[in-house]
Amino acid sequence: MKNNHTSLGPKADKETVRRHNLSLVLRAVRDEGEATRAGVAARVGLTRAAVSSLVEQLLDSGFLSESGKTFSGQAGRPGTVLKVTRSGPAGIGVEINIDYVSVCVVDLSGTDRVRLTEHLDNRGAAPAEVLARGARIAARTLDSAAEQDLAPVGVQLALPGLVSGGTVRQAPNLGWNRVPAEELFAQALAEAQPVVPPLPVRSENEANLAALAELWFGGLGGIRSFLYLSGEIGVGGALVLDGELLRGANGFAGEIGHVVVDADGPLCRCGSRGCLEQYAGQSALLRGAGLDENAGVPGAAELEALARAGDKRAIAAIGEAGRMLGRVLSGAVNLFDPDAVVLGGIYRSLMPWLSPPADGELTDRVVSGLWPHDSGRLRASSSAGDAARGAAALVVRAVLADPVAYADRTSA
Amino acid sequence: MKNNHTSLGPKADKETVRRHNLSLVLRAVRDEGEATRAGVAARVGLTRAAVSSLVEQLLDSGFLSESGKTFSGQAGRPGTVLKVTRSGPAGIGVEINIDYVSVCVVDLSGTDRVRLTEHLDNRGAAPAEVLARGARIAARTLDSAAEQDLAPVGVQLALPGLVSGGTVRQAPNLGWNRVPAEELFAQALAEAQPVVPPLPVRSENEANLAALAELWFGGLGGIRSFLYLSGEIGVGGALVLDGELLRGANGFAGEIGHVVVDADGPLCRCGSRGCLEQYAGQSALLRGAGLDENAGVPGAAELEALARAGDKRAIAAIGEAGRMLGRVLSGAVNLFDPDAVVLGGIYRSLMPWLSPPADGELTDRVVSGLWPHDSGRLRASSSAGDAARGAAALVVRAVLADPVAYADRTSA
């Protein structure tokens, strides 16, 4: 039912149109990397004069920078080169996962400028302490950001659970229930390193943010609709449809790890039985291969090494997980009709053994017939598809969508 | 990522804004039922003068009508009452299902004005013959429409299968494969009753259209995101998210009937094994209750009667189907996070026995905890939720979204 006429909203006034056009020009330059005013005008369909006026405002506010360099290869007067500023507005992404915290600062172009990752076990501590730990790690990146003339405008948390309205409703693998994560993190950040005015803190499910990073930076080509799975201790999932994250009515969509495989199967941390996580999560994989199911990241690496060395038990364990993944994925594909399924986390390195059985299930069970054997629709995520980067880029996207709203926060 | 600034499109010019505002005013009157110019102005946020000019154009083009009646209860000058015209543009919906064809003509207000249903078995005949049958039935409604001063502007087909780009890719229960349904129907309609210029014919999955009818006319209250299931010979499904149909990357989303319940279960017509349809479709229900599985509509009525009479076998069969439905629904809810699940078709009258076990599975297996026992989120569809009406209303929605495009087709 979507159409351009109704999406205009009740009333479009001049100021709204100018704010929209500022965003349009800024995003056009970001997409091109380097652009002239004439190039932008051609791309966005505004007059050269209108674009020049908009560009001036964006230069004045510090969103664009201009180099002496000119493009003379094109017809008409040579124009100076515009770029999105490498200093100024930045986003901070903080992924707090089960056995690590990773913080990423990106600039307006989406480039990863600062990265700090600490491996630690977040399962033992209280939620407030885990969030304070994350805030301290994030605070350490603020100095690096300042040294690079970056001015963070906000923090986006990426959390392994059901996140909505600033609260983690449930994160079974962390043992969290109704944790006001944004508030606790903001308090801890203010204590660790006061910023004036305080940085707004938002929160989102980590698989959702990893999927966005994959969409924005993963080289997916024309793929705009996909199902993203992140194999970790839990199995996270996210749905992207036509380039937009599908959050669901309450923000809880994408929980593919808790789709039932066998109604009478083993008890899951979520309270149900026989969830996919019990068959294709990291613990199930390690256990199936005869490894310590709590071995974490080193365990996943060992599993891969065993499979590479031809270990039959490891290969069988991965194959069985792939089959169960494929069954659940075929149902999800029948429901959602994506262009692709992207497997991230530990699945990335297990693809040679995981993918064939999963692909077989998709071939047999997807009713549209659009997933024949080796269709290439089941694929590994790129290295870009990480939640911290997606989180940081989400902050920056808000700036790109309405630069005027951030015009007073552009200098470090 | 959706925001009003980017959805404006590359460039909003004056003509676009006026077309948009014409639609806005027309839809405002449709939503109100009866409205004055002042009332519309207050509702849409435009000036009284602007609304008057837009209303004149809509009156001239025959989209609105004005009665002598005035509202004098409000402040200011009394205004004459505007209504969406009951004559003029109309939509024709044609549902061609496995054992019936139903044609519906609705006017601009969405009101059902003509209805013709024929019960017949469409499984034996060739696709072209079935579509020609549908076209002949539709042609019979054109005279009725003309007598009511309605001017159909298009036909929307509702078909029980995977429909995309005018073609039925697969309709397992009809035995159709790659049938160019729009083209065949348009040809047959031109033969049955030539209309100049020919009516455009569009096609869509029937469950999708039933879900839209439910959304638009079903009295769902604040529910804007739901999963719709239609229990028929097949089990159709549709996803509505935030008031929009989720069609998927290729138009094939919603195929919940082919989500696997038991990987080694009975062979399904789609080629896979153990699909939900094999456990909760009409045939499975009838067979489980000891009835003739091919008994069609009378069989479904008999099943209901047996359950009402307390027949243990019938109740057990419905309960088992409900349990299997609930398992698949819990996975779908974990993936999509809808506000509600709406059960239509034969499920509507089986709710007293179907709903409790399905509800139990949802309670146990939805990870968000938002589906506790008797949450009321699992509900029967209304009688309004039928595919033919949704189809006809979809035609009319296109008129409402851009009346200017239809200004030359408004008189019968």
Side-chain angles (χ1 to χ4, degrees), chain A residues 171-367:
Chain A
N173 288 306
L174 282 173
W176 290 14
N177 256 299
R178 299 181 189 271
V179 173
E182 291 180 4
E183 192 187 326
L184 291 171
F185 186 94
Q187 280 167 5
L189 184 63
E191 280 169 33
Q193 177 140 345
V195 178
V196 182
L199 294 173
V201 177
R202 295 284 171 272
S203 56
E204 177 64 84
N205 171 269
E206 53 92 19
N208 281 357
L209 293 164
L212 288 177
E214 189 67 28
L215 173 70
W216 293 332
F217 310 115
L220 285 175
I223 296 173
R224 303 277 296 159
S225 296
F226 61 96
L227 184 55
Y228 176 87
L229 267 75
S230 96
E232 311 272 353
I233 291 174
V235 177
L239 301 160
V240 174
L241 189 77
D242 202 17
E244 305 236 356
L245 195 59
L246 200 155
R247 287 195 169 82
N250 311 284
F252 300 148
E255 289 295 323
I256 198 163
H258 300 284
V259 171
V260 65
V261 168
D262 176 357
D264 305 315
L267 198 64
C268 182
R269 255 180 249 264
C270 76
S272 178
R273 285 193 169 276
C275 297
L276 177 60
E277 209 162 285
Q278 299 303 315
Y279 301 89
Q282 184 170 296
S283 299
L285 275 161
L286 295 180
R287 200 170 51 238
L291 297 168
D292 172 8
E293 69 176 69
N294 295 310
V297 175
E302 196 182 343
L303 177 62
E304 183 193 350
L306 282 173
R308 280 196 194 283
D311 182 278
K312 290 219 171 75
R313 196 165 168 198
I315 289 171
I318 303 171
E320 182 61 8
R323 219 166 347 265
M324 298 304 150
L325 261 181
R327 281 184 196 163
V328 169
L329 286 173
S330 69
V333 168
N334 280 332
L335 276 169
F336 179 61
D337 182 24
D339 280 323
V341 169
V342 179
L343 300 181
I346 61 168
Y347 296 147
R348 272 189 77 203
S349 51
L350 304 178
M351 285 301 269
W353 313 279
L354 192 76
S355 175
D359 193 49
E361 292 285 324
L362 286 160
T363 301
D364 290 349
R365 298 186 188 277
V366 174
V367 67

Side-chain angles (χ1 to χ4, degrees), chain A residues 96-138:
Chain A
I96 298 180
N97 220 315
I98 295 150
D99 50 4
Y100 63 88
V101 173
S102 191
V103 179
C104 172
V105 182
V106 307
D107 62 24
L108 214 49
S109 74
T111 305
D112 201 334
R113 298 284 293 277
V114 180
R115 169 72 68 151
L116 177 55
T117 301
E118 297 191 14
H119 292 275
L120 34 76
D121 195 326
N122 285 321
R123 276 173 288 197
E129 175 44 27
V130 171
L131 288 159
R133 203 180 272 172
R136 287 193 299 273
I137 298 172

Side-chain angles (χ1 to χ4, degrees), chain B residues 123-160:
Chain B
R123 277 172 289 198
E129 175 45 28
V130 172
L131 287 158
R133 203 180 273 170
R136 288 194 298 274
I137 298 171
R140 281 170 214 142
T141 67
L142 290 175
D143 292 337
S144 311
E147 269 177 35
Q148 297 199 40
D149 287 328
L150 289 167
V153 300
V155 175
Q156 176 73 47
L157 303 179
L159 302 165

Side-chain angles (χ1 to χ4, degrees), chain B residues 331-362:
Chain B
V333 168
N334 281 330
L335 276 170
F336 288 98
D337 181 25
D339 280 323
V341 170
V342 179
L343 300 180
I346 60 168
Y347 297 146
R348 272 189 77 202
S349 51
L350 303 179
M351 285 301 269
W353 313 279
L354 193 74
S355 177
D359 194 48
E361 292 285 324
L362 286 161

Side-chain angles (χ1 to χ4, degrees), chain B residues 397-410:
Chain B
R397 289 258 150 173
V399 179
L400 293 166
D402 188 12
V404 172
Y406 293 85
D408 55 339
R409 301 198 76 144
T410 48

Side-chain angles (χ1 to χ4, degrees), chain A residues 5 8 20 169 254 335 367-368, chain B residues 5 8 20 169 254 335 368:
Chain A
H5 304 292
L8 199 66
H20 164 69
R169 188 177 174 91
L335 276 169
V367 67
S368 69
Chain B
H5 303 291
L8 199 67
H20 164 69
R169 187 177 173 93
L335 276 170
S368 69

